[in-house]
Amino acid sequence: VDSATTDPQCQPGTTNTSCGTSTKPYKSIVNAVNRVNALGSTNAPGSQIIVRNGVYDETSKITLSVSGTSANPIRLKAE
């Protein structure tokens, strides 16, 4: 699994139909978290969700349903 899949990015002012990459980030944190959730427990550990600077208007509950490990945590990183 490559970093474009495991390290989704989000930024206000974009669109949720984007693919979550550095050049086409998701609009919402929820979509980026859902991308990591979809990886499942085998591939999600070590994922990093990049949350770019801005004001997010999240209307849905953000739920991370997979877990990392002590050696490979799942992180939300502000940029």
Side-chain angles (χ1 to χ4, degrees):
V1 179
D2 63 29
S3 65
T5 302
T6 60
D7 299 338
Q9 299 195 24
C10 52
Q11 177 177 350
T14 59
T15 176
N16 280 326
T17 59
S18 295
C19 52
T21 63
S22 61
T23 56
K24 293 185 178 183
Y26 290 124
K27 179 180 179 179
S28 70
I29 299 169
V30 169
N31 275 40
V33 168
N34 287 343
R35 163 96 89 48
V36 171
N37 287 336
L39 293 172
S41 59
T42 302
N43 294 317
S47 294
Q48 179 171 255
I49 299 164
I50 308 296
V51 181
R52 294 187 183 172
N53 187 35
V55 177
Y56 290 83
D57 185 23
E58 300 292 336
T59 58
S60 300
K61 183 177 178 182
I62 299 171
T63 303
L64 189 59
S65 62
V66 292
S67 298
T69 65
S70 58
N72 290 303
I74 297 172
R75 295 183 169 102
L76 273 79
K77 179 182 175 187
E79 281 195 354

